[in-house]
Amino acid sequence: MTILQVMAEDDARVLLRTTDPEKINDELGPHGMWFERWQANAPLPDDAGEDEVLEAYREDVDRLCKQGDYRLVDVVRLHPDDEDPGWPEKARAARTKFLDEHTHDEDEVRFFVEGSGCFYLHLGDRVYAVVCEAGDLLAVPAGTTHWFDMGERPAFAAIRFFQEEDGWIGNFTGSGISARFPSLDELVAGGQ
Ligand SMILES: [Fe+2]
């Protein structure tokens, strides 16, 4: 389920929690975020490849590329593999990479094809946690302080949009703020 939970920066008290896409858009839009719900133009098999995924959302992908001047598009996929003894370590490494607060010099734009993930947007004295699920597009403008949690068992496929080949690098703030907020798993379970 798509969730927006707005919390106070200082003590993470919940100021708003909603699952209404229209309300989520109303809250995020004034801060320059784009939140959209997309429909596939054909059913996608679980093992769909990159070309198949992009084709299923072709109109929206092309529109967004024009809108945001995104020149590169790819599909990233991460799923638990319990037969791989190295999976827990791989999952942990993937999760912790962007779990601390950071910014990017270009927009961070993700469309969730499968699964879920949570963006935490640190805007003024509030933190906006946006749990995205399949069908959700979120565009976070360059320079926005944020972090991302893919959960303890990362399971998602997402289309990523880039302006430059090497523009998407994390500039970490070192604030330590992310440790004070509920994880993706806690948010989905019902809040803090
Ligand atoms: Fe990021």
Side-chain angles (χ1 to χ4, degrees):
M1 186 188 295
T2 311
I3 303 164
L4 168 66
Q5 184 161 306
V6 184
M7 292 163 281
E9 173 194 49
D10 52 0
D11 60 1
R13 70 185 180 280
V14 178
L15 305 172
L16 171 78
R17 182 176 164 102
T18 181
T19 56
D20 177 355
E22 213 168 304
K23 192 144 192 217
I24 294 174
N25 211 0
D26 287 349
E27 288 291 328
L28 297 179
H31 295 285
M33 314 290 148
W34 293 343
F35 173 78
E36 298 179 2
R37 296 272 307 154
W38 293 1
Q39 297 265 341
N41 57 25
L44 268 179
D46 287 347
D47 59 349
E50 178 160 321
D51 290 346
E52 225 174 328
V53 169
L54 293 175
E55 209 41 55
Y57 296 97
R58 178 54 59 196
E59 275 174 38
D60 284 315
V61 167
D62 289 350
R63 173 181 54 81
L64 195 72
C65 283
K66 274 198 199 120
Q67 214 172 322
D69 197 20
Y70 304 122
R71 279 172 271 181
L72 301 158
V73 176
D74 72 7
V75 176
V76 62
R77 182 178 260 128
L78 209 56
H79 279 288
D81 180 357
D82 293 326
E83 283 169 24
D84 175 2
W87 162 254
E89 180 50 32
K90 276 183 215 162
R92 197 198 57 78
R95 184 187 185 199
T96 51
K97 200 168 173 195
F98 291 109
L99 201 51
D100 288 325
E101 187 181 62
H102 61 277
T103 62
H104 302 288
D105 295 337
E106 71 164 66
D107 301 353
E108 179 163 348
V109 188
R110 300 288 180 269
F111 172 73
F112 286 81
V113 179
E114 306 159 8
S116 58
C118 185
F119 280 95
Y120 298 77
L121 313 168
H122 186 186
L123 306 169
D125 60 0
R126 294 178 171 196
V127 169
Y128 293 67
V130 191
V131 177
C132 295
E133 61 158 21
D136 291 339
L137 176 281
L138 185 64
V140 178
T144 305
T145 43
H146 69 281
W147 64 95
F148 179 75
D149 186 8
M150 55 180 74
E152 280 179 29
R153 276 176 71 82
F156 66 93
I159 303 177
R160 308 189 294 182
F161 298 77
F162 302 96
Q163 283 148 334
E164 305 289 341
E165 202 139 357
D166 56 358
W168 193 64
I169 293 164
N171 309 307
F172 289 87
T173 65
S175 70
I177 185 174
S178 62
R180 306 203 309 263
F181 285 82
S183 65
L184 163 66
D185 298 290
E186 287 166 333
L187 284 166
V188 170
Q192 46 181 357

